[in-house]
Amino acid sequence: MNFKNLKFVKNIKGLAPRLKWLMFSKMQNLKIGTRYIDFLISDENKEPGYDNRKLESMVRETLIQEFSPDIVKSKSYGLLVDAVVHNMKKKQLGEDAKVEID
């Protein structure tokens, strides 16, 4: 049996927990900094009104799927989209208020 190889293997096994801890600590440092937030959220998603535009886009797509593409030609299509978005926001605010009260 070659004891030099055994000693080397034991040293490598001892490095694994240290390496895991080093990687964990580096990730924690990265998560704390703004670079992590920039990594997760692109600049496009941080601009004001992005959530509203995304919600409105989803509502438009859903209305087209539920009814037909001809609904876009309707005069009241914009009003319908605005009403649906308003109702969704109103419901969400109502649910948030209930959660805060409880």
PDB file of all heavy atoms in Angstrom, residues 64-78:
ATOM      1  N   ILE A  64     -57.134  38.802 -25.604  1.00  0.00           N
ATOM      2  CA  ILE A  64     -57.083  38.323 -26.991  1.00  0.00           C
ATOM      3  C   ILE A  64     -57.274  36.814 -27.041  1.00  0.00           C
ATOM      4  O   ILE A  64     -57.991  36.287 -27.905  1.00  0.00           O
ATOM      5  CB  ILE A  64     -55.761  38.745 -27.654  1.00  0.00           C
ATOM      6  CG1 ILE A  64     -55.753  40.267 -27.871  1.00  0.00           C
ATOM      7  CG2 ILE A  64     -55.544  38.027 -28.974  1.00  0.00           C
ATOM      8  CD1 ILE A  64     -54.414  40.818 -28.310  1.00  0.00           C
ATOM      9  N   GLN A  65     -56.683  36.094 -26.095  1.00  0.00           N
ATOM     10  CA  GLN A  65     -56.834  34.630 -26.068  1.00  0.00           C
ATOM     11  C   GLN A  65     -58.255  34.221 -25.697  1.00  0.00           C
ATOM     12  O   GLN A  65     -58.804  33.284 -26.258  1.00  0.00           O
ATOM     13  CB  GLN A  65     -55.864  34.007 -25.067  1.00  0.00           C
ATOM     14  CG  GLN A  65     -54.427  34.041 -25.511  1.00  0.00           C
ATOM     15  CD  GLN A  65     -53.493  33.514 -24.444  1.00  0.00           C
ATOM     16  OE1 GLN A  65     -53.898  33.248 -23.322  1.00  0.00           O
ATOM     17  NE2 GLN A  65     -52.227  33.375 -24.795  1.00  0.00           N
ATOM     18  N   GLU A  66     -58.854  34.926 -24.733  1.00  0.00           N
ATOM     19  CA  GLU A  66     -60.190  34.560 -24.259  1.00  0.00           C
ATOM     20  C   GLU A  66     -61.277  34.868 -25.279  1.00  0.00           C
ATOM     21  O   GLU A  66     -62.239  34.123 -25.401  1.00  0.00           O
ATOM     22  CB  GLU A  66     -60.506  35.288 -22.944  1.00  0.00           C
ATOM     23  CG  GLU A  66     -59.707  34.804 -21.766  1.00  0.00           C
ATOM     24  CD  GLU A  66     -60.040  33.374 -21.370  1.00  0.00           C
ATOM     25  OE1 GLU A  66     -61.224  32.986 -21.417  1.00  0.00           O
ATOM     26  OE2 GLU A  66     -59.100  32.644 -21.015  1.00  0.00           O
ATOM     27  N   PHE A  67     -61.139  35.971 -25.969  1.00  0.00           N
ATOM     28  CA  PHE A  67     -62.170  36.360 -26.922  1.00  0.00           C
ATOM     29  C   PHE A  67     -61.703  36.064 -28.347  1.00  0.00           C
ATOM     30  O   PHE A  67     -61.933  34.983 -28.852  1.00  0.00           O
ATOM     31  CB  PHE A  67     -62.551  37.830 -26.724  1.00  0.00           C
ATOM     32  CG  PHE A  67     -63.144  38.103 -25.371  1.00  0.00           C
ATOM     33  CD1 PHE A  67     -62.393  38.687 -24.371  1.00  0.00           C
ATOM     34  CD2 PHE A  67     -64.440  37.725 -25.070  1.00  0.00           C
ATOM     35  CE1 PHE A  67     -62.926  38.916 -23.110  1.00  0.00           C
ATOM     36  CE2 PHE A  67     -64.986  37.940 -23.826  1.00  0.00           C
ATOM     37  CZ  PHE A  67     -64.229  38.542 -22.838  1.00  0.00           C
ATOM     38  N   SER A  68     -61.081  37.015 -28.986  1.00  0.00           N
ATOM     39  CA  SER A  68     -60.526  36.809 -30.325  1.00  0.00           C
ATOM     40  C   SER A  68     -59.596  37.981 -30.638  1.00  0.00           C
ATOM     41  O   SER A  68     -59.686  39.028 -29.995  1.00  0.00           O
ATOM     42  CB  SER A  68     -61.635  36.715 -31.373  1.00  0.00           C
ATOM     43  OG  SER A  68     -62.196  37.980 -31.607  1.00  0.00           O
ATOM     44  N   PRO A  69     -58.745  37.834 -31.636  1.00  0.00           N
ATOM     45  CA  PRO A  69     -57.880  38.969 -32.011  1.00  0.00           C
ATOM     46  C   PRO A  69     -58.666  40.187 -32.487  1.00  0.00           C
ATOM     47  O   PRO A  69     -58.161  41.300 -32.499  1.00  0.00           O
ATOM     48  CB  PRO A  69     -57.014  38.400 -33.133  1.00  0.00           C
ATOM     49  CG  PRO A  69     -57.003  36.936 -32.910  1.00  0.00           C
ATOM     50  CD  PRO A  69     -58.352  36.611 -32.318  1.00  0.00           C
ATOM     51  N   ASP A  70     -59.924  39.979 -32.853  1.00  0.00           N
ATOM     52  CA  ASP A  70     -60.752  41.095 -33.326  1.00  0.00           C
ATOM     53  C   ASP A  70     -61.119  42.058 -32.201  1.00  0.00           C
ATOM     54  O   ASP A  70     -61.541  43.183 -32.466  1.00  0.00           O
ATOM     55  CB  ASP A  70     -62.039  40.567 -33.973  1.00  0.00           C
ATOM     56  CG  ASP A  70     -61.747  39.779 -35.236  1.00  0.00           C
ATOM     57  OD1 ASP A  70     -60.696  40.044 -35.869  1.00  0.00           O
ATOM     58  OD2 ASP A  70     -62.547  38.887 -35.582  1.00  0.00           O
ATOM     59  N   ILE A  71     -60.954  41.639 -30.952  1.00  0.00           N
ATOM     60  CA  ILE A  71     -61.305  42.516 -29.833  1.00  0.00           C
ATOM     61  C   ILE A  71     -60.423  43.760 -29.809  1.00  0.00           C
ATOM     62  O   ILE A  71     -60.825  44.806 -29.318  1.00  0.00           O
ATOM     63  CB  ILE A  71     -61.241  41.761 -28.489  1.00  0.00           C
ATOM     64  CG1 ILE A  71     -61.963  42.570 -27.410  1.00  0.00           C
ATOM     65  CG2 ILE A  71     -59.818  41.482 -28.080  1.00  0.00           C
ATOM     66  CD1 ILE A  71     -62.224  41.808 -26.137  1.00  0.00           C
ATOM     67  N   VAL A  72     -59.232  43.648 -30.378  1.00  0.00           N
ATOM     68  CA  VAL A  72     -58.311  44.793 -30.416  1.00  0.00           C
ATOM     69  C   VAL A  72     -58.902  45.923 -31.246  1.00  0.00           C
ATOM     70  O   VAL A  72     -58.672  47.108 -30.967  1.00  0.00           O
ATOM     71  CB  VAL A  72     -56.938  44.360 -30.976  1.00  0.00           C
ATOM     72  CG1 VAL A  72     -55.991  45.523 -31.093  1.00  0.00           C
ATOM     73  CG2 VAL A  72     -56.343  43.260 -30.126  1.00  0.00           C
ATOM     74  N   LYS A  73     -59.693  45.578 -32.240  1.00  0.00           N
ATOM     75  CA  LYS A  73     -60.300  46.586 -33.122  1.00  0.00           C
ATOM     76  C   LYS A  73     -61.472  47.310 -32.455  1.00  0.00           C
ATOM     77  O   LYS A  73     -61.903  48.348 -32.934  1.00  0.00           O
ATOM     78  CB  LYS A  73     -60.788  45.923 -34.408  1.00  0.00           C
ATOM     79  CG  LYS A  73     -59.663  45.295 -35.210  1.00  0.00           C
ATOM     80  CD  LYS A  73     -60.204  44.541 -36.391  1.00  0.00           C
ATOM     81  CE  LYS A  73     -59.094  43.786 -37.107  1.00  0.00           C
ATOM     82  NZ  LYS A  73     -59.610  42.911 -38.156  1.00  0.00           N
ATOM     83  N   SER A  74     -61.946  46.771 -31.351  1.00  0.00           N
ATOM     84  CA  SER A  74     -63.080  47.357 -30.654  1.00  0.00           C
ATOM     85  C   SER A  74     -62.720  48.730 -30.101  1.00  0.00           C
ATOM     86  O   SER A  74     -61.601  48.970 -29.659  1.00  0.00           O
ATOM     87  CB  SER A  74     -63.510  46.430 -29.517  1.00  0.00           C
ATOM     88  OG  SER A  74     -64.431  47.063 -28.680  1.00  0.00           O
ATOM     89  N   LYS A  75     -63.702  49.637 -30.100  1.00  0.00           N
ATOM     90  CA  LYS A  75     -63.466  50.988 -29.596  1.00  0.00           C
ATOM     91  C   LYS A  75     -63.236  50.985 -28.084  1.00  0.00           C
ATOM     92  O   LYS A  75     -62.528  51.832 -27.561  1.00  0.00           O
ATOM     93  CB  LYS A  75     -64.652  51.898 -29.936  1.00  0.00           C
ATOM     94  CG  LYS A  75     -64.781  52.203 -31.404  1.00  0.00           C
ATOM     95  CD  LYS A  75     -65.946  53.142 -31.666  1.00  0.00           C
ATOM     96  CE  LYS A  75     -66.082  53.440 -33.142  1.00  0.00           C
ATOM     97  NZ  LYS A  75     -67.198  54.341 -33.421  1.00  0.00           N
ATOM     98  N   SER A  76     -63.842  50.064 -27.399  1.00  0.00           N
ATOM     99  CA  SER A  76     -63.755  50.048 -25.937  1.00  0.00           C
ATOM    100  C   SER A  76     -62.648  49.120 -25.423  1.00  0.00           C
ATOM    101  O   SER A  76     -62.576  48.862 -24.229  1.00  0.00           O
ATOM    102  CB  SER A  76     -65.098  49.624 -25.341  1.00  0.00           C
ATOM    103  OG  SER A  76     -65.434  48.329 -25.789  1.00  0.00           O
ATOM    104  N   TYR A  77     -61.787  48.650 -26.315  1.00  0.00           N
ATOM    105  CA  TYR A  77     -60.721  47.721 -25.908  1.00  0.00           C
ATOM    106  C   TYR A  77     -59.782  48.354 -24.878  1.00  0.00           C
ATOM    107  O   TYR A  77     -59.473  47.750 -23.853  1.00  0.00           O
ATOM    108  CB  TYR A  77     -59.937  47.262 -27.137  1.00  0.00           C
ATOM    109  CG  TYR A  77     -58.783  46.346 -26.826  1.00  0.00           C
ATOM    110  CD1 TYR A  77     -58.998  45.080 -26.319  1.00  0.00           C
ATOM    111  CD2 TYR A  77     -57.472  46.752 -27.042  1.00  0.00           C
ATOM    112  CE1 TYR A  77     -57.939  44.240 -26.041  1.00  0.00           C
ATOM    113  CE2 TYR A  77     -56.413  45.925 -26.769  1.00  0.00           C
ATOM    114  CZ  TYR A  77     -56.644  44.654 -26.264  1.00  0.00           C
ATOM    115  OH  TYR A  77     -55.597  43.825 -25.983  1.00  0.00           O
ATOM    116  N   GLY A  78     -59.358  49.575 -25.106  1.00  0.00           N
ATOM    117  CA  GLY A  78     -58.476  50.263 -24.163  1.00  0.00           C
ATOM    118  C   GLY A  78     -59.138  50.456 -22.811  1.00  0.00           C
ATOM    119  O   GLY A  78     -58.520  50.276 -21.757  1.00  0.00           O
TER     120      GLY A  78
END
